[in-house]
Amino acid sequence: MKKILVLNGPNLNRLGTREPSIYGKTTLHDLNAMLEKQAQLAHAQLTCIQTNSEAEFINAIHKAGDENINYLIVNAAAFTHTSIAIRDALIAVNIPFIEVHLSNIYARESFRHHSYLSDIAQGIIYGLGSKSYRLALQAILDI
Ligand code: DQA
């Protein structure tokens, strides 16, 4: 059975009410429920984590390594653009991951155009709202 972990970074707990014109109206709770159902139908095990703390994000990556998680879906949110430490943690555990973003980061402020994760990701899906996650999960389930 595939073991998949979805990692969500800072402020994504506010989905649904946070800048809905950019991030949509789906709450994190509803997004997680959709992904869990999608995984269940494919007999995969899926866990979703959200944290506002960079240290917790890194610890969750390390734990995924210890627990032999097979794939990660990573939305590091603002840490995408700042965190060499998260990049290093992903390299350290060597778990394939898909980077996702709800918004099209290349159509926004220039500081969002650089990701510390993209060149080490297996794939990147962005700009499709909650569908970015659903497509990433489908890609993993199809492997
Ligand atoms: C985001 C894009 C980031 O630039 C931003 O800081 C976020 C969310 C997205 O999913 O579109 O918090 O990762």
Side-chain angles (χ1 to χ4, degrees):
M1 186 188 260
K2 271 179 196 151
K3 286 163 71 176
I4 305 158
L5 175 67
V6 183
L7 274 171
N8 280 302
N11 301 307
L12 293 172
N13 54 316
R14 308 297 292 177
L15 283 183
T17 54
R18 173 193 181 201
E19 299 183 90
S21 62
I22 296 175
Y23 298 116
K25 288 185 183 157
T26 306
T27 62
L28 187 60
H29 179 270
D30 289 348
L31 172 59
N32 290 345
M34 275 193 288
L35 297 174
E36 272 154 24
K37 197 169 162 197
Q38 191 179 343
Q40 220 171 47
L41 288 171
H43 307 290
Q45 184 190 308
L46 182 118
T47 309
C48 300
I49 292 176
Q50 187 277 330
T51 175
N52 293 319
S53 147
E54 187 174 11
E56 277 177 23
F57 202 97
I58 292 164
N59 289 338
I61 294 169
H62 293 171
K63 196 162 169 240
D66 295 340
E67 291 179 351
N68 299 315
I69 296 289
N70 304 113
Y71 296 93
L72 301 173
I73 296 174
V74 177
N75 186 351
F79 294 150
T80 306
H81 318 297
T82 61
S83 182
I84 297 169
I86 288 175
R87 175 190 175 88
D88 285 349
L90 287 164
I91 292 171
V93 298
N94 198 25
I95 302 172
F97 74 94
I98 299 183
E99 176 182 352
V100 299
H101 299 283
L102 295 142
S103 65
N104 178 353
I105 53 174
Y106 298 101
R108 301 183 62 196
E109 303 97 320
S110 59
F111 60 82
R112 295 183 205 277
H113 297 181
H114 178 259
S115 164
Y116 278 105
L117 311 182
S118 294
D119 65 308
I120 57 164
Q122 186 162 3
I124 313 156
I125 304 176
Y126 57 88
L128 303 175
S130 53
K131 201 155 194 205
S132 294
Y133 290 79
R134 294 172 63 80
L135 291 172
L137 178 55
Q138 200 53 54
I140 290 167
L141 296 173
D142 288 348
I143 290 166

